[in-house]
Amino acid sequence: MRHRLYSFLLAAGLGLGQPARAQVGVPAPDPGTNTGINQGRFIGVVVGTAAVYALTSYFLGKTWYTKRVPFHAFNDNGEWLQMDKVGHATTAYAISRGEYELFRWSGVNERASVLTGGLIALLYQTTIELFDGRSEGWGFSKGDMAANLTGIGLFMGQQYGWGEQKVNLRYGWRQSIYPPYRPNLLGHTVGNQMLKDYNGQQYWLSLNLASVLPVGPSFPRWLALDLGYSGSGMTGGHANPPYFDANGQEVKFTRYRQFYLSPDVTLARLPGLNGSSAQPLVSAGQFFKIPAPSLEFNRLNGLRFHPLLLPKD
């Protein structure tokens, strides 16, 4: 769980939500073109990125990773219905994209910004895995690294190949009913639960429809369709430990996967926002799934419709 908190803090600190600027109907920038580096912005981006990396690494070493052991591996691929792996891919994608945007903003050319964003995301995610590898009770996870590379590859492949992000990874959350049963693991407060409780998290693959369908110029460029994934009934990684209520009765939960389909909005493509001074602030929400009506399917309840917010179960 510790590496998930680290990753979300990094993503938030690196402007993860800023979208790639290539728009439908507008030619992608020439990868070899460089209009000139803004020295002040470039220095600020480099210093800021280095400071975030150094401070978070130092903070982790002093607070969470205090019990060091010899480096070892740990296979956690079967835990949490793979929600943590999807989370790793989403976070790696977000850091890659955020760093790319910062370097493009400072004047670095397209190809160099894409490569730099991917390498910085790899550095951050690898650092936390190396911390895990020397931590008591944890270990270096090959599955986590594979997920990290998947997220980075999704960003870099699209940006190099298309000059835009036709497919995005997004994060959603709703408060679940499970943290009270294991608050030390799933979180005491809402803030902790957003990072620790996999039952409350959803991860969304968002497709911008105008980018992937042969539509005309009148089709709304901001409309997206999201495919979501989540898990529920989890109070432990591999299995749920026994729990008894105040009357001594055992409380059991069934672990199951949830799949969603929901419309979404690509904020950077809303009329009037692209290129405006408000775009960086508005587009910061791109990492988060905007609440909207959705269809859910799971093996316990079958097909369900949710008018707006997802239920807590």
Short mmCIF file of all heavy atoms in Angstrom, two decimals, residues 57-88:
data_model
loop_
_atom_site.label_atom_id
_atom_site.label_comp_id
_atom_site.label_asym_id
_atom_site.label_seq_id
_atom_site.Cartn_x
_atom_site.Cartn_y
_atom_site.Cartn_z
N SER A 57 11.48 11.01 -1.91
CA SER A 57 12.36 9.87 -1.61
C SER A 57 12.90 9.96 -0.19
O SER A 57 12.95 8.97 0.54
CB SER A 57 13.50 9.82 -2.62
OG SER A 57 13.02 9.62 -3.94
N TYR A 58 13.30 11.16 0.21
CA TYR A 58 13.82 11.36 1.56
C TYR A 58 12.73 11.10 2.60
O TYR A 58 12.95 10.43 3.60
CB TYR A 58 14.35 12.78 1.70
CG TYR A 58 14.81 13.12 3.10
CD1 TYR A 58 16.07 12.72 3.56
CD2 TYR A 58 13.99 13.84 3.97
CE1 TYR A 58 16.48 13.02 4.86
CE2 TYR A 58 14.38 14.16 5.26
CZ TYR A 58 15.64 13.74 5.69
OH TYR A 58 16.04 14.04 6.97
N PHE A 59 11.53 11.62 2.33
CA PHE A 59 10.42 11.44 3.26
C PHE A 59 10.10 9.96 3.45
O PHE A 59 9.90 9.49 4.58
CB PHE A 59 9.20 12.18 2.73
CG PHE A 59 7.93 11.92 3.50
CD1 PHE A 59 7.70 12.51 4.72
CD2 PHE A 59 6.96 11.06 3.00
CE1 PHE A 59 6.54 12.27 5.43
CE2 PHE A 59 5.80 10.80 3.68
CZ PHE A 59 5.58 11.41 4.92
N LEU A 60 10.07 9.21 2.36
CA LEU A 60 9.78 7.79 2.46
C LEU A 60 10.85 7.05 3.23
O LEU A 60 10.56 6.19 4.06
CB LEU A 60 9.66 7.19 1.05
CG LEU A 60 8.35 7.48 0.31
CD1 LEU A 60 8.45 6.99 -1.12
CD2 LEU A 60 7.18 6.84 1.01
N GLY A 61 12.11 7.38 2.96
CA GLY A 61 13.20 6.69 3.65
C GLY A 61 13.20 6.93 5.14
O GLY A 61 13.61 6.06 5.92
N LYS A 62 12.71 8.10 5.55
CA LYS A 62 12.71 8.44 6.98
C LYS A 62 11.46 8.00 7.71
O LYS A 62 11.46 7.91 8.94
CB LYS A 62 12.87 9.96 7.13
CG LYS A 62 14.26 10.48 6.78
CD LYS A 62 15.30 9.96 7.76
CE LYS A 62 16.67 10.57 7.49
NZ LYS A 62 17.69 10.08 8.44
N THR A 63 10.37 7.76 6.99
CA THR A 63 9.11 7.46 7.66
C THR A 63 8.63 6.03 7.44
O THR A 63 8.32 5.31 8.39
CB THR A 63 8.02 8.44 7.20
OG1 THR A 63 7.89 8.39 5.78
CG2 THR A 63 8.38 9.86 7.62
N TRP A 64 8.54 5.59 6.18
CA TRP A 64 7.95 4.30 5.87
C TRP A 64 8.99 3.19 5.74
O TRP A 64 8.78 2.08 6.20
CB TRP A 64 7.14 4.39 4.58
CG TRP A 64 5.83 5.08 4.78
CD1 TRP A 64 5.20 5.34 5.95
CD2 TRP A 64 5.00 5.63 3.77
NE1 TRP A 64 4.03 5.99 5.75
CE2 TRP A 64 3.87 6.19 4.40
CE3 TRP A 64 5.08 5.70 2.37
CZ2 TRP A 64 2.84 6.81 3.71
CZ3 TRP A 64 4.05 6.32 1.67
CH2 TRP A 64 2.95 6.86 2.34
N TYR A 65 10.10 3.47 5.10
CA TYR A 65 11.08 2.42 4.83
C TYR A 65 12.21 2.47 5.85
O TYR A 65 13.36 2.70 5.52
CB TYR A 65 11.62 2.55 3.41
CG TYR A 65 10.58 2.31 2.35
CD1 TYR A 65 10.04 3.36 1.62
CD2 TYR A 65 10.13 1.02 2.08
CE1 TYR A 65 9.07 3.14 0.65
CE2 TYR A 65 9.16 0.79 1.11
CZ TYR A 65 8.64 1.86 0.40
OH TYR A 65 7.69 1.63 -0.56
N THR A 66 11.84 2.28 7.10
CA THR A 66 12.83 2.38 8.19
C THR A 66 13.45 1.03 8.53
O THR A 66 14.55 0.98 9.07
CB THR A 66 12.16 2.97 9.43
OG1 THR A 66 11.01 2.17 9.77
CG2 THR A 66 11.71 4.40 9.17
N LYS A 67 12.76 -0.07 8.24
CA LYS A 67 13.28 -1.40 8.54
C LYS A 67 13.84 -2.02 7.27
O LYS A 67 13.11 -2.56 6.44
CB LYS A 67 12.18 -2.28 9.14
CG LYS A 67 11.66 -1.79 10.48
CD LYS A 67 10.60 -2.72 11.05
CE LYS A 67 10.10 -2.21 12.39
NZ LYS A 67 9.06 -3.10 12.98
N ARG A 68 15.15 -1.90 7.09
CA ARG A 68 15.80 -2.37 5.87
C ARG A 68 16.26 -3.82 6.02
O ARG A 68 16.74 -4.23 7.08
CB ARG A 68 17.01 -1.48 5.54
CG ARG A 68 16.66 0.00 5.40
CD ARG A 68 15.82 0.25 4.16
NE ARG A 68 15.45 1.65 4.01
CZ ARG A 68 16.20 2.57 3.43
NH1 ARG A 68 17.39 2.23 2.96
NH2 ARG A 68 15.79 3.81 3.32
N VAL A 69 16.12 -4.57 4.95
CA VAL A 69 16.57 -5.96 4.89
C VAL A 69 17.30 -6.13 3.56
O VAL A 69 17.24 -5.26 2.68
CB VAL A 69 15.37 -6.94 4.98
CG1 VAL A 69 14.67 -6.80 6.32
CG2 VAL A 69 14.39 -6.71 3.84
N PRO A 70 18.00 -7.24 3.36
CA PRO A 70 18.65 -7.47 2.06
C PRO A 70 17.62 -7.44 0.92
O PRO A 70 16.46 -7.82 1.09
CB PRO A 70 19.28 -8.86 2.22
CG PRO A 70 19.52 -8.98 3.69
CD PRO A 70 18.37 -8.28 4.34
N PHE A 71 18.06 -7.00 -0.24
CA PHE A 71 17.17 -6.87 -1.39
C PHE A 71 16.55 -8.23 -1.74
O PHE A 71 17.24 -9.25 -1.81
CB PHE A 71 17.94 -6.33 -2.59
CG PHE A 71 17.06 -6.03 -3.77
CD1 PHE A 71 16.39 -4.82 -3.86
CD2 PHE A 71 16.91 -6.95 -4.80
CE1 PHE A 71 15.57 -4.53 -4.94
CE2 PHE A 71 16.10 -6.67 -5.89
CZ PHE A 71 15.43 -5.46 -5.96
N HIS A 72 15.24 -8.24 -1.98
CA HIS A 72 14.54 -9.48 -2.28
C HIS A 72 13.32 -9.17 -3.16
O HIS A 72 12.86 -8.02 -3.21
CB HIS A 72 14.10 -10.20 -1.00
CG HIS A 72 13.13 -9.40 -0.18
ND1 HIS A 72 13.50 -8.28 0.55
CD2 HIS A 72 11.80 -9.54 0.03
CE1 HIS A 72 12.45 -7.78 1.17
NE2 HIS A 72 11.40 -8.52 0.87
N ALA A 73 12.81 -10.18 -3.82
CA ALA A 73 11.64 -10.03 -4.68
C ALA A 73 10.39 -10.51 -3.94
O ALA A 73 10.47 -11.26 -2.96
CB ALA A 73 11.81 -10.81 -5.98
N PHE A 74 9.24 -10.10 -4.44
CA PHE A 74 7.97 -10.42 -3.80
C PHE A 74 6.92 -10.53 -4.89
O PHE A 74 6.75 -9.61 -5.70
CB PHE A 74 7.60 -9.30 -2.81
CG PHE A 74 6.25 -9.45 -2.16
CD1 PHE A 74 6.00 -10.46 -1.26
CD2 PHE A 74 5.22 -8.55 -2.46
CE1 PHE A 74 4.76 -10.58 -0.65
CE2 PHE A 74 3.98 -8.66 -1.86
CZ PHE A 74 3.76 -9.68 -0.95
N ASN A 75 6.23 -11.66 -4.94
CA ASN A 75 5.21 -11.88 -5.97
C ASN A 75 3.84 -11.51 -5.40
O ASN A 75 3.26 -12.27 -4.64
CB ASN A 75 5.23 -13.33 -6.44
CG ASN A 75 4.27 -13.58 -7.59
OD1 ASN A 75 3.48 -12.71 -7.97
ND2 ASN A 75 4.33 -14.76 -8.18
N ASP A 76 3.33 -10.36 -5.81
CA ASP A 76 2.02 -9.92 -5.34
C ASP A 76 1.01 -9.84 -6.49
O ASP A 76 0.01 -9.12 -6.40
CB ASP A 76 2.12 -8.56 -4.65
CG ASP A 76 2.64 -7.46 -5.57
OD1 ASP A 76 3.13 -7.79 -6.68
OD2 ASP A 76 2.57 -6.27 -5.20
N ASN A 77 1.26 -10.61 -7.54
CA ASN A 77 0.40 -10.52 -8.72
C ASN A 77 -1.03 -10.99 -8.46
O ASN A 77 -1.96 -10.60 -9.17
CB ASN A 77 0.99 -11.34 -9.87
CG ASN A 77 2.29 -10.76 -10.38
OD1 ASN A 77 2.54 -9.57 -10.22
ND2 ASN A 77 3.13 -11.59 -10.98
N GLY A 78 -1.23 -11.83 -7.46
CA GLY A 78 -2.56 -12.33 -7.17
C GLY A 78 -3.35 -11.51 -6.17
O GLY A 78 -4.48 -11.87 -5.83
N GLU A 79 -2.79 -10.40 -5.69
CA GLU A 79 -3.45 -9.62 -4.65
C GLU A 79 -4.46 -8.63 -5.21
O GLU A 79 -4.34 -8.16 -6.35
CB GLU A 79 -2.40 -8.86 -3.83
CG GLU A 79 -1.51 -9.76 -2.99
CD GLU A 79 -0.63 -8.98 -2.03
OE1 GLU A 79 -0.59 -7.73 -2.14
OE2 GLU A 79 0.01 -9.61 -1.17
N TRP A 80 -5.47 -8.33 -4.40
CA TRP A 80 -6.42 -7.24 -4.63
C TRP A 80 -7.10 -7.30 -5.99
O TRP A 80 -7.42 -6.27 -6.58
CB TRP A 80 -5.75 -5.89 -4.43
CG TRP A 80 -5.13 -5.71 -3.08
CD1 TRP A 80 -3.78 -5.69 -2.80
CD2 TRP A 80 -5.81 -5.56 -1.83
NE1 TRP A 80 -3.59 -5.53 -1.45
CE2 TRP A 80 -4.82 -5.45 -0.83
CE3 TRP A 80 -7.16 -5.51 -1.46
CZ2 TRP A 80 -5.12 -5.29 0.52
CZ3 TRP A 80 -7.46 -5.35 -0.10
CH2 TRP A 80 -6.46 -5.24 0.85
N LEU A 81 -7.30 -8.49 -6.52
CA LEU A 81 -7.94 -8.67 -7.83
C LEU A 81 -7.25 -7.84 -8.91
O LEU A 81 -7.87 -7.34 -9.83
CB LEU A 81 -9.43 -8.32 -7.76
CG LEU A 81 -10.28 -9.17 -6.81
CD1 LEU A 81 -11.73 -8.69 -6.81
CD2 LEU A 81 -10.20 -10.64 -7.18
N GLN A 82 -5.94 -7.67 -8.75
CA GLN A 82 -5.07 -6.93 -9.68
C GLN A 82 -5.39 -5.44 -9.75
O GLN A 82 -4.93 -4.74 -10.66
CB GLN A 82 -5.10 -7.53 -11.09
CG GLN A 82 -4.47 -8.90 -11.20
CD GLN A 82 -5.33 -10.00 -10.61
OE1 GLN A 82 -6.51 -10.12 -10.94
NE2 GLN A 82 -4.74 -10.82 -9.74
N MET A 83 -6.15 -4.94 -8.80
CA MET A 83 -6.44 -3.51 -8.79
C MET A 83 -5.16 -2.69 -8.63
O MET A 83 -5.02 -1.61 -9.22
CB MET A 83 -7.41 -3.19 -7.65
CG MET A 83 -8.85 -3.49 -7.98
SD MET A 83 -9.52 -2.34 -9.22
CE MET A 83 -9.52 -0.82 -8.29
N ASP A 84 -4.22 -3.17 -7.82
CA ASP A 84 -2.99 -2.42 -7.62
C ASP A 84 -2.17 -2.34 -8.91
O ASP A 84 -1.51 -1.34 -9.19
CB ASP A 84 -2.15 -3.01 -6.49
CG ASP A 84 -1.77 -4.46 -6.74
OD1 ASP A 84 -2.56 -5.19 -7.36
OD2 ASP A 84 -0.68 -4.86 -6.29
N LYS A 85 -2.23 -3.39 -9.73
CA LYS A 85 -1.48 -3.38 -10.99
C LYS A 85 -2.06 -2.35 -11.97
O LYS A 85 -1.32 -1.62 -12.63
CB LYS A 85 -1.48 -4.77 -11.61
CG LYS A 85 -0.83 -5.84 -10.73
CD LYS A 85 0.64 -5.52 -10.50
CE LYS A 85 1.32 -6.51 -9.57
NZ LYS A 85 0.96 -6.29 -8.16
N VAL A 86 -3.38 -2.30 -12.04
CA VAL A 86 -4.01 -1.30 -12.90
C VAL A 86 -3.69 0.10 -12.38
O VAL A 86 -3.47 1.04 -13.15
CB VAL A 86 -5.53 -1.52 -12.97
CG1 VAL A 86 -6.18 -0.52 -13.91
CG2 VAL A 86 -5.85 -2.94 -13.42
N GLY A 87 -3.64 0.24 -11.06
CA GLY A 87 -3.28 1.52 -10.47
C GLY A 87 -1.86 1.94 -10.81
O GLY A 87 -1.59 3.12 -11.06
N HIS A 88 -0.94 0.98 -10.81
CA HIS A 88 0.44 1.30 -11.19
C HIS A 88 0.51 1.80 -12.64
O HIS A 88 1.19 2.78 -12.93
CB HIS A 88 1.32 0.04 -11.04
CG HIS A 88 1.95 -0.07 -9.70
ND1 HIS A 88 3.13 0.55 -9.38
CD2 HIS A 88 1.57 -0.75 -8.59
CE1 HIS A 88 3.46 0.26 -8.13
NE2 HIS A 88 2.52 -0.52 -7.63
#
